[in-house]
Amino acid sequence: LLNGMKLTQGQWLRGLTKIFLKDKEAFRLSEVRELLFGERAIQIQAAWRMYFVKSYYKKILRSALHLQTVLRGCAVRKDFRKKVKLLARLQSSVRMFWDSKNYHFTKRSAVSLQSFVRMYHSQSS
């Protein structure tokens, strides 16, 4: 640290547990310390802001994806209900056609049978 500050032997003294600096050098060291603390504080603030913005963005992204999922589900269910109605209508039309065909066949058979029975009764009387 002392070599980094380029201090000569007369500007500082070393005790058993501490280093003593002259007032001029102590002031210079505190200025460097404040400058470094200011830079580190800015870096910490920038990192915190980046973390906060990233987490906010992820939250908004998750919300947007959930909203898209819900809307797509609603659209698919609406389309499904529409298709079910159309298929029910088609099924009804097909059943009506087959029932009509079966009704006409049954009616013709009944008329034939009645005709045969009437003819048999008219001959036997």
PDB file of all heavy atoms in Angstrom, residues 22-50:
ATOM      1  N   LYS A  22       2.240  11.274   8.108  1.00  0.00           N
ATOM      2  CA  LYS A  22       2.200  12.711   8.357  1.00  0.00           C
ATOM      3  C   LYS A  22       0.841  13.238   7.906  1.00  0.00           C
ATOM      4  O   LYS A  22       0.137  12.603   7.127  1.00  0.00           O
ATOM      5  CB  LYS A  22       3.323  13.404   7.593  1.00  0.00           C
ATOM      6  CG  LYS A  22       4.685  13.108   8.156  1.00  0.00           C
ATOM      7  CD  LYS A  22       5.714  13.969   7.501  1.00  0.00           C
ATOM      8  CE  LYS A  22       7.065  13.721   8.158  1.00  0.00           C
ATOM      9  NZ  LYS A  22       8.090  14.564   7.606  1.00  0.00           N
ATOM     10  N   ASP A  23       0.457  14.399   8.412  1.00  0.00           N
ATOM     11  CA  ASP A  23      -0.867  14.940   8.126  1.00  0.00           C
ATOM     12  C   ASP A  23      -1.134  15.067   6.636  1.00  0.00           C
ATOM     13  O   ASP A  23      -2.219  14.755   6.154  1.00  0.00           O
ATOM     14  CB  ASP A  23      -1.037  16.312   8.794  1.00  0.00           C
ATOM     15  CG  ASP A  23      -1.271  16.179  10.284  1.00  0.00           C
ATOM     16  OD1 ASP A  23      -1.691  15.085  10.704  1.00  0.00           O
ATOM     17  OD2 ASP A  23      -1.050  17.164  11.008  1.00  0.00           O
ATOM     18  N   LYS A  24      -0.126  15.541   5.902  1.00  0.00           N
ATOM     19  CA  LYS A  24      -0.296  15.724   4.457  1.00  0.00           C
ATOM     20  C   LYS A  24      -0.584  14.392   3.783  1.00  0.00           C
ATOM     21  O   LYS A  24      -1.492  14.279   2.946  1.00  0.00           O
ATOM     22  CB  LYS A  24       0.969  16.372   3.905  1.00  0.00           C
ATOM     23  CG  LYS A  24       0.962  16.567   2.420  1.00  0.00           C
ATOM     24  CD  LYS A  24       2.296  17.168   1.982  1.00  0.00           C
ATOM     25  CE  LYS A  24       2.393  17.109   0.484  1.00  0.00           C
ATOM     26  NZ  LYS A  24       3.709  17.500   0.009  1.00  0.00           N
ATOM     27  N   GLU A  25       0.128  13.364   4.166  1.00  0.00           N
ATOM     28  CA  GLU A  25      -0.049  12.043   3.552  1.00  0.00           C
ATOM     29  C   GLU A  25      -1.355  11.395   4.015  1.00  0.00           C
ATOM     30  O   GLU A  25      -2.029  10.719   3.240  1.00  0.00           O
ATOM     31  CB  GLU A  25       1.143  11.143   3.890  1.00  0.00           C
ATOM     32  CG  GLU A  25       2.483  11.696   3.438  1.00  0.00           C
ATOM     33  CD  GLU A  25       2.488  12.114   1.987  1.00  0.00           C
ATOM     34  OE1 GLU A  25       1.866  11.428   1.154  1.00  0.00           O
ATOM     35  OE2 GLU A  25       3.112  13.129   1.668  1.00  0.00           O
ATOM     36  N   ALA A  26      -1.708  11.602   5.254  1.00  0.00           N
ATOM     37  CA  ALA A  26      -2.982  11.055   5.755  1.00  0.00           C
ATOM     38  C   ALA A  26      -4.152  11.693   5.014  1.00  0.00           C
ATOM     39  O   ALA A  26      -5.123  11.026   4.668  1.00  0.00           O
ATOM     40  CB  ALA A  26      -3.098  11.295   7.261  1.00  0.00           C
ATOM     41  N   PHE A  27      -4.051  13.000   4.764  1.00  0.00           N
ATOM     42  CA  PHE A  27      -5.102  13.692   4.028  1.00  0.00           C
ATOM     43  C   PHE A  27      -5.198  13.134   2.600  1.00  0.00           C
ATOM     44  O   PHE A  27      -6.280  12.876   2.088  1.00  0.00           O
ATOM     45  CB  PHE A  27      -4.821  15.196   4.009  1.00  0.00           C
ATOM     46  CG  PHE A  27      -5.840  15.981   3.274  1.00  0.00           C
ATOM     47  CD1 PHE A  27      -7.116  16.156   3.793  1.00  0.00           C
ATOM     48  CD2 PHE A  27      -5.548  16.538   2.029  1.00  0.00           C
ATOM     49  CE1 PHE A  27      -8.070  16.873   3.108  1.00  0.00           C
ATOM     50  CE2 PHE A  27      -6.505  17.249   1.339  1.00  0.00           C
ATOM     51  CZ  PHE A  27      -7.764  17.419   1.886  1.00  0.00           C
ATOM     52  N   ARG A  28      -4.022  12.947   1.971  1.00  0.00           N
ATOM     53  CA  ARG A  28      -3.995  12.393   0.616  1.00  0.00           C
ATOM     54  C   ARG A  28      -4.586  10.976   0.598  1.00  0.00           C
ATOM     55  O   ARG A  28      -5.362  10.614  -0.299  1.00  0.00           O
ATOM     56  CB  ARG A  28      -2.569  12.396   0.095  1.00  0.00           C
ATOM     57  CG  ARG A  28      -2.515  12.211  -1.409  1.00  0.00           C
ATOM     58  CD  ARG A  28      -1.122  12.416  -1.953  1.00  0.00           C
ATOM     59  NE  ARG A  28      -0.701  11.103  -2.435  1.00  0.00           N
ATOM     60  CZ  ARG A  28       0.539  10.661  -2.429  1.00  0.00           C
ATOM     61  NH1 ARG A  28       1.496  11.390  -1.944  1.00  0.00           N
ATOM     62  NH2 ARG A  28       0.822   9.479  -2.883  1.00  0.00           N
ATOM     63  N   LEU A  29      -4.253  10.177   1.589  1.00  0.00           N
ATOM     64  CA  LEU A  29      -4.766   8.815   1.679  1.00  0.00           C
ATOM     65  C   LEU A  29      -6.293   8.832   1.884  1.00  0.00           C
ATOM     66  O   LEU A  29      -7.014   8.041   1.274  1.00  0.00           O
ATOM     67  CB  LEU A  29      -4.094   8.068   2.830  1.00  0.00           C
ATOM     68  CG  LEU A  29      -4.484   6.602   2.989  1.00  0.00           C
ATOM     69  CD1 LEU A  29      -4.120   5.812   1.734  1.00  0.00           C
ATOM     70  CD2 LEU A  29      -3.813   5.994   4.200  1.00  0.00           C
ATOM     71  N   SER A  30      -6.797   9.737   2.719  1.00  0.00           N
ATOM     72  CA  SER A  30      -8.251   9.802   2.927  1.00  0.00           C
ATOM     73  C   SER A  30      -8.966  10.265   1.661  1.00  0.00           C
ATOM     74  O   SER A  30     -10.077   9.815   1.372  1.00  0.00           O
ATOM     75  CB  SER A  30      -8.586  10.710   4.109  1.00  0.00           C
ATOM     76  OG  SER A  30      -8.310  12.053   3.797  1.00  0.00           O
ATOM     77  N   GLU A  31      -8.334  11.162   0.878  1.00  0.00           N
ATOM     78  CA  GLU A  31      -8.939  11.576  -0.392  1.00  0.00           C
ATOM     79  C   GLU A  31      -9.029  10.409  -1.360  1.00  0.00           C
ATOM     80  O   GLU A  31     -10.042  10.203  -2.029  1.00  0.00           O
ATOM     81  CB  GLU A  31      -8.127  12.711  -1.018  1.00  0.00           C
ATOM     82  CG  GLU A  31      -8.357  14.061  -0.401  1.00  0.00           C
ATOM     83  CD  GLU A  31      -7.544  15.144  -1.101  1.00  0.00           C
ATOM     84  OE1 GLU A  31      -6.580  14.816  -1.825  1.00  0.00           O
ATOM     85  OE2 GLU A  31      -7.890  16.322  -0.922  1.00  0.00           O
ATOM     86  N   VAL A  32      -7.960   9.634  -1.446  1.00  0.00           N
ATOM     87  CA  VAL A  32      -7.960   8.448  -2.320  1.00  0.00           C
ATOM     88  C   VAL A  32      -9.020   7.459  -1.840  1.00  0.00           C
ATOM     89  O   VAL A  32      -9.758   6.873  -2.638  1.00  0.00           O
ATOM     90  CB  VAL A  32      -6.552   7.796  -2.363  1.00  0.00           C
ATOM     91  CG1 VAL A  32      -6.595   6.449  -3.058  1.00  0.00           C
ATOM     92  CG2 VAL A  32      -5.562   8.712  -3.035  1.00  0.00           C
ATOM     93  N   ARG A  33      -9.101   7.290  -0.513  1.00  0.00           N
ATOM     94  CA  ARG A  33     -10.102   6.389   0.066  1.00  0.00           C
ATOM     95  C   ARG A  33     -11.510   6.849  -0.297  1.00  0.00           C
ATOM     96  O   ARG A  33     -12.353   6.040  -0.709  1.00  0.00           O
ATOM     97  CB  ARG A  33      -9.924   6.365   1.581  1.00  0.00           C
ATOM     98  CG  ARG A  33     -10.881   5.470   2.306  1.00  0.00           C
ATOM     99  CD  ARG A  33     -10.553   5.488   3.801  1.00  0.00           C
ATOM    100  NE  ARG A  33     -11.549   4.788   4.538  1.00  0.00           N
ATOM    101  CZ  ARG A  33     -12.639   5.329   5.087  1.00  0.00           C
ATOM    102  NH1 ARG A  33     -12.862   6.615   4.967  1.00  0.00           N
ATOM    103  NH2 ARG A  33     -13.504   4.596   5.739  1.00  0.00           N
ATOM    104  N   GLU A  34     -11.802   8.128  -0.139  1.00  0.00           N
ATOM    105  CA  GLU A  34     -13.123   8.658  -0.479  1.00  0.00           C
ATOM    106  C   GLU A  34     -13.430   8.482  -1.959  1.00  0.00           C
ATOM    107  O   GLU A  34     -14.549   8.137  -2.338  1.00  0.00           O
ATOM    108  CB  GLU A  34     -13.217  10.144  -0.094  1.00  0.00           C
ATOM    109  CG  GLU A  34     -13.232  10.419   1.391  1.00  0.00           C
ATOM    110  CD  GLU A  34     -14.438   9.825   2.067  1.00  0.00           C
ATOM    111  OE1 GLU A  34     -15.539   9.828   1.460  1.00  0.00           O
ATOM    112  OE2 GLU A  34     -14.298   9.338   3.202  1.00  0.00           O
ATOM    113  N   LEU A  35     -12.419   8.716  -2.790  1.00  0.00           N
ATOM    114  CA  LEU A  35     -12.604   8.547  -4.232  1.00  0.00           C
ATOM    115  C   LEU A  35     -12.940   7.100  -4.557  1.00  0.00           C
ATOM    116  O   LEU A  35     -13.872   6.816  -5.313  1.00  0.00           O
ATOM    117  CB  LEU A  35     -11.344   9.000  -4.988  1.00  0.00           C
ATOM    118  CG  LEU A  35     -11.383   8.848  -6.505  1.00  0.00           C
ATOM    119  CD1 LEU A  35     -12.404   9.822  -7.079  1.00  0.00           C
ATOM    120  CD2 LEU A  35     -10.010   9.101  -7.096  1.00  0.00           C
ATOM    121  N   LEU A  36     -12.190   6.153  -3.964  1.00  0.00           N
ATOM    122  CA  LEU A  36     -12.441   4.740  -4.216  1.00  0.00           C
ATOM    123  C   LEU A  36     -13.793   4.304  -3.655  1.00  0.00           C
ATOM    124  O   LEU A  36     -14.521   3.541  -4.290  1.00  0.00           O
ATOM    125  CB  LEU A  36     -11.316   3.884  -3.637  1.00  0.00           C
ATOM    126  CG  LEU A  36      -9.964   3.993  -4.351  1.00  0.00           C
ATOM    127  CD1 LEU A  36      -8.923   3.155  -3.647  1.00  0.00           C
ATOM    128  CD2 LEU A  36     -10.100   3.572  -5.798  1.00  0.00           C
ATOM    129  N   PHE A  37     -14.135   4.794  -2.453  1.00  0.00           N
ATOM    130  CA  PHE A  37     -15.443   4.460  -1.889  1.00  0.00           C
ATOM    131  C   PHE A  37     -16.567   5.002  -2.766  1.00  0.00           C
ATOM    132  O   PHE A  37     -17.586   4.342  -2.960  1.00  0.00           O
ATOM    133  CB  PHE A  37     -15.600   5.001  -0.470  1.00  0.00           C
ATOM    134  CG  PHE A  37     -15.112   4.059   0.581  1.00  0.00           C
ATOM    135  CD1 PHE A  37     -14.272   4.503   1.585  1.00  0.00           C
ATOM    136  CD2 PHE A  37     -15.488   2.732   0.583  1.00  0.00           C
ATOM    137  CE1 PHE A  37     -13.824   3.637   2.568  1.00  0.00           C
ATOM    138  CE2 PHE A  37     -15.043   1.853   1.554  1.00  0.00           C
ATOM    139  CZ  PHE A  37     -14.204   2.305   2.548  1.00  0.00           C
ATOM    140  N   GLY A  38     -16.385   6.195  -3.308  1.00  0.00           N
ATOM    141  CA  GLY A  38     -17.392   6.756  -4.210  1.00  0.00           C
ATOM    142  C   GLY A  38     -17.563   5.913  -5.447  1.00  0.00           C
ATOM    143  O   GLY A  38     -18.687   5.617  -5.875  1.00  0.00           O
ATOM    144  N   GLU A  39     -16.448   5.477  -6.030  1.00  0.00           N
ATOM    145  CA  GLU A  39     -16.523   4.621  -7.229  1.00  0.00           C
ATOM    146  C   GLU A  39     -17.187   3.293  -6.902  1.00  0.00           C
ATOM    147  O   GLU A  39     -18.024   2.796  -7.655  1.00  0.00           O
ATOM    148  CB  GLU A  39     -15.118   4.384  -7.780  1.00  0.00           C
ATOM    149  CG  GLU A  39     -14.496   5.599  -8.428  1.00  0.00           C
ATOM    150  CD  GLU A  39     -13.058   5.340  -8.872  1.00  0.00           C
ATOM    151  OE1 GLU A  39     -12.576   4.198  -8.720  1.00  0.00           O
ATOM    152  OE2 GLU A  39     -12.434   6.285  -9.366  1.00  0.00           O
ATOM    153  N   ARG A  40     -16.802   2.699  -5.750  1.00  0.00           N
ATOM    154  CA  ARG A  40     -17.401   1.414  -5.352  1.00  0.00           C
ATOM    155  C   ARG A  40     -18.893   1.571  -5.063  1.00  0.00           C
ATOM    156  O   ARG A  40     -19.687   0.696  -5.394  1.00  0.00           O
ATOM    157  CB  ARG A  40     -16.695   0.837  -4.126  1.00  0.00           C
ATOM    158  CG  ARG A  40     -15.241   0.515  -4.345  1.00  0.00           C
ATOM    159  CD  ARG A  40     -15.069  -0.569  -5.401  1.00  0.00           C
ATOM    160  NE  ARG A  40     -13.673  -0.881  -5.547  1.00  0.00           N
ATOM    161  CZ  ARG A  40     -12.970  -0.702  -6.653  1.00  0.00           C
ATOM    162  NH1 ARG A  40     -13.558  -0.211  -7.727  1.00  0.00           N
ATOM    163  NH2 ARG A  40     -11.710  -1.026  -6.729  1.00  0.00           N
ATOM    164  N   ALA A  41     -19.257   2.688  -4.451  1.00  0.00           N
ATOM    165  CA  ALA A  41     -20.675   2.927  -4.171  1.00  0.00           C
ATOM    166  C   ALA A  41     -21.464   3.025  -5.470  1.00  0.00           C
ATOM    167  O   ALA A  41     -22.570   2.474  -5.580  1.00  0.00           O
ATOM    168  CB  ALA A  41     -20.843   4.197  -3.342  1.00  0.00           C
ATOM    169  N   ILE A  42     -20.893   3.697  -6.457  1.00  0.00           N
ATOM    170  CA  ILE A  42     -21.562   3.808  -7.762  1.00  0.00           C
ATOM    171  C   ILE A  42     -21.696   2.433  -8.404  1.00  0.00           C
ATOM    172  O   ILE A  42     -22.737   2.089  -8.979  1.00  0.00           O
ATOM    173  CB  ILE A  42     -20.812   4.796  -8.671  1.00  0.00           C
ATOM    174  CG1 ILE A  42     -20.997   6.226  -8.140  1.00  0.00           C
ATOM    175  CG2 ILE A  42     -21.294   4.693 -10.113  1.00  0.00           C
ATOM    176  CD1 ILE A  42     -20.130   7.251  -8.837  1.00  0.00           C
ATOM    177  N   GLN A  43     -20.642   1.604  -8.300  1.00  0.00           N
ATOM    178  CA  GLN A  43     -20.700   0.251  -8.865  1.00  0.00           C
ATOM    179  C   GLN A  43     -21.756  -0.594  -8.159  1.00  0.00           C
ATOM    180  O   GLN A  43     -22.504  -1.329  -8.802  1.00  0.00           O
ATOM    181  CB  GLN A  43     -19.334  -0.421  -8.762  1.00  0.00           C
ATOM    182  CG  GLN A  43     -18.307   0.148  -9.708  1.00  0.00           C
ATOM    183  CD  GLN A  43     -16.928  -0.471  -9.499  1.00  0.00           C
ATOM    184  OE1 GLN A  43     -16.681  -1.150  -8.514  1.00  0.00           O
ATOM    185  NE2 GLN A  43     -16.040  -0.217 -10.451  1.00  0.00           N
ATOM    186  N   ILE A  44     -21.832  -0.465  -6.832  1.00  0.00           N
ATOM    187  CA  ILE A  44     -22.839  -1.223  -6.079  1.00  0.00           C
ATOM    188  C   ILE A  44     -24.245  -0.747  -6.453  1.00  0.00           C
ATOM    189  O   ILE A  44     -25.156  -1.567  -6.668  1.00  0.00           O
ATOM    190  CB  ILE A  44     -22.593  -1.089  -4.563  1.00  0.00           C
ATOM    191  CG1 ILE A  44     -21.312  -1.825  -4.190  1.00  0.00           C
ATOM    192  CG2 ILE A  44     -23.774  -1.624  -3.764  1.00  0.00           C
ATOM    193  CD1 ILE A  44     -20.839  -1.570  -2.782  1.00  0.00           C
ATOM    194  N   GLN A  45     -24.433   0.554  -6.564  1.00  0.00           N
ATOM    195  CA  GLN A  45     -25.744   1.089  -6.952  1.00  0.00           C
ATOM    196  C   GLN A  45     -26.126   0.618  -8.351  1.00  0.00           C
ATOM    197  O   GLN A  45     -27.284   0.240  -8.602  1.00  0.00           O
ATOM    198  CB  GLN A  45     -25.727   2.616  -6.903  1.00  0.00           C
ATOM    199  CG  GLN A  45     -25.712   3.193  -5.517  1.00  0.00           C
ATOM    200  CD  GLN A  45     -25.519   4.701  -5.527  1.00  0.00           C
ATOM    201  OE1 GLN A  45     -25.277   5.299  -6.569  1.00  0.00           O
ATOM    202  NE2 GLN A  45     -25.625   5.306  -4.351  1.00  0.00           N
ATOM    203  N   ALA A  46     -25.167   0.634  -9.254  1.00  0.00           N
ATOM    204  CA  ALA A  46     -25.449   0.191 -10.630  1.00  0.00           C
ATOM    205  C   ALA A  46     -25.824  -1.287 -10.641  1.00  0.00           C
ATOM    206  O   ALA A  46     -26.755  -1.695 -11.349  1.00  0.00           O
ATOM    207  CB  ALA A  46     -24.245   0.451 -11.524  1.00  0.00           C
ATOM    208  N   ALA A  47     -25.097  -2.099  -9.852  1.00  0.00           N
ATOM    209  CA  ALA A  47     -25.412  -3.531  -9.800  1.00  0.00           C
ATOM    210  C   ALA A  47     -26.803  -3.750  -9.212  1.00  0.00           C
ATOM    211  O   ALA A  47     -27.568  -4.583  -9.712  1.00  0.00           O
ATOM    212  CB  ALA A  47     -24.365  -4.262  -8.961  1.00  0.00           C
ATOM    213  N   TRP A  48     -27.146  -3.005  -8.154  1.00  0.00           N
ATOM    214  CA  TRP A  48     -28.473  -3.124  -7.546  1.00  0.00           C
ATOM    215  C   TRP A  48     -29.568  -2.711  -8.526  1.00  0.00           C
ATOM    216  O   TRP A  48     -30.587  -3.388  -8.660  1.00  0.00           O
ATOM    217  CB  TRP A  48     -28.568  -2.301  -6.275  1.00  0.00           C
ATOM    218  CG  TRP A  48     -29.976  -2.204  -5.776  1.00  0.00           C
ATOM    219  CD1 TRP A  48     -30.781  -1.121  -5.784  1.00  0.00           C
ATOM    220  CD2 TRP A  48     -30.772  -3.266  -5.244  1.00  0.00           C
ATOM    221  NE1 TRP A  48     -32.015  -1.427  -5.279  1.00  0.00           N
ATOM    222  CE2 TRP A  48     -32.042  -2.749  -4.936  1.00  0.00           C
ATOM    223  CE3 TRP A  48     -30.526  -4.611  -5.002  1.00  0.00           C
ATOM    224  CZ2 TRP A  48     -33.048  -3.511  -4.405  1.00  0.00           C
ATOM    225  CZ3 TRP A  48     -31.546  -5.376  -4.465  1.00  0.00           C
ATOM    226  CH2 TRP A  48     -32.792  -4.831  -4.169  1.00  0.00           C
ATOM    227  N   ARG A  49     -29.355  -1.597  -9.211  1.00  0.00           N
ATOM    228  CA  ARG A  49     -30.356  -1.142 -10.186  1.00  0.00           C
ATOM    229  C   ARG A  49     -30.520  -2.170 -11.305  1.00  0.00           C
ATOM    230  O   ARG A  49     -31.636  -2.440 -11.760  1.00  0.00           O
ATOM    231  CB  ARG A  49     -29.948   0.203 -10.771  1.00  0.00           C
ATOM    232  CG  ARG A  49     -30.152   1.348  -9.814  1.00  0.00           C
ATOM    233  CD  ARG A  49     -29.832   2.692 -10.467  1.00  0.00           C
ATOM    234  NE  ARG A  49     -29.832   3.746  -9.465  1.00  0.00           N
ATOM    235  CZ  ARG A  49     -28.825   4.559  -9.217  1.00  0.00           C
ATOM    236  NH1 ARG A  49     -27.698   4.445  -9.919  1.00  0.00           N
ATOM    237  NH2 ARG A  49     -28.903   5.473  -8.295  1.00  0.00           N
ATOM    238  N   MET A  50     -29.397  -2.754 -11.762  1.00  0.00           N
ATOM    239  CA  MET A  50     -29.464  -3.760 -12.817  1.00  0.00           C
ATOM    240  C   MET A  50     -30.250  -4.974 -12.328  1.00  0.00           C
ATOM    241  O   MET A  50     -31.105  -5.499 -13.047  1.00  0.00           O
ATOM    242  CB  MET A  50     -28.058  -4.179 -13.247  1.00  0.00           C
ATOM    243  CG  MET A  50     -28.045  -5.184 -14.376  1.00  0.00           C
ATOM    244  SD  MET A  50     -26.403  -5.590 -14.958  1.00  0.00           S
ATOM    245  CE  MET A  50     -25.698  -6.360 -13.531  1.00  0.00           C
TER     246      MET A  50
END
